[in-house]
Amino acid sequence: MKPNVDEFLKQAAGTLTEEILPHLPDDYRAGTVRVIALMLQLAAEEVDRAAEIRLAENRSMRALFAGAAEHVENRQLASRLRDAAAQEEGDYRIQTLDASNEALRRLLIELQVETETRDDDASASIGAAIWDLLERSAERRLMTLPTP
C-alpha cells in the first residue's frame, strides 16, 4: 500500500497532537508542536487540492484573456492575451503550474490597468470579470482550520 501525501501529513499531525503533545509541559515547546501540527493539517489540505486550484485559475484567466483580447486597444497587449489564451498546461507539477499562474497573473494585472484607464462598456465588463475571477480565486484558496 502506498500512502497518499495528504494522508501522511494528517497522520503526522494526529501523532503530534494525540501522542506527543500530552507528554509535553504546557510551555513554548507545546505551543510549537501545536503550530507544527496545524501547519501539517493545512499542508495536507493544500497538497490534496493544489493542482486543481492552479489549473482552474489558469483556465479561468485564459478564458478571460480570449474574450478580452478583441476589446483591448493596445495591440501588443491584445496579442499577448491571445497567445496566453491559446496555451495549455503540459506539465501538472505544482512548481510548473505556479510559474504559469504567476505569469498569467502579471498579464491579468496589465489587462486590469488597461481596462481601468478606459471608460467604455467593454472595459467595464472586462473589469467586472477580472474582479469576479479574483474573488473566485480567493474562495478556492481559502484554508479551513481543522476542528479540535
Side-chain angles (χ1 to χ4, degrees):
M1 179 177 142
K2 181 180 171 188
N4 293 329
V5 174
D6 60 320
E7 291 173 6
F8 169 78
L9 293 170
K10 288 176 186 174
Q11 185 176 8
T15 299
L16 286 174
T17 56
E18 296 167 16
E19 297 178 25
I20 295 178
L21 191 58
H23 301 288
L24 293 176
D26 194 22
D27 64 1
Y28 180 79
R29 288 173 291 179
T32 300
V33 169
R34 281 187 192 92
V35 169
I36 292 170
L38 175 62
M39 296 300 289
L40 288 171
Q41 287 280 3
L42 295 175
E45 180 180 349
E46 181 62 16
V47 163
D48 187 45
R49 67 191 190 147
E52 178 183 13
I53 287 171
R54 285 147 182 86
L55 284 168
E57 287 178 359
N58 292 356
R59 288 175 182 152
S60 294
M61 283 186 275
R62 288 185 176 115
L64 190 143
F65 296 163
E70 66 186 71
H71 301 288
V72 172
E73 291 179 359
N74 179 328
R75 292 187 190 276
Q76 182 186 22
L77 178 58
S79 176
R80 291 180 26 236
L81 290 169
R82 281 190 289 278
D83 290 346
Q87 294 174 355
E88 292 184 13
E89 307 298 346
D91 180 345
Y92 295 150
R93 289 179 296 163
I94 300 304
Q95 183 177 10
T96 305
L97 294 172
D98 276 342
S100 294
N101 190 273
E102 183 178 326
L104 292 168
R105 284 181 179 272
R106 281 194 303 270
L107 189 55
L108 183 70
I109 291 168
E110 287 185 56
L111 176 61
Q112 186 172 21
V113 168
E114 175 75 15
T115 60
E116 288 184 359
T117 60
R118 294 179 47 207
D119 187 23
D120 58 76
D121 290 342
S123 294
S125 178
I126 293 168
I130 290 171
W131 283 109
D132 183 57
L133 182 146
L134 293 172
E135 184 177 353
R136 284 183 283 125
S137 177
E139 289 169 356
R140 276 187 206 101
R141 289 179 179 258
L142 186 65
M143 303 294 288
T144 55
L145 294 176
T147 55

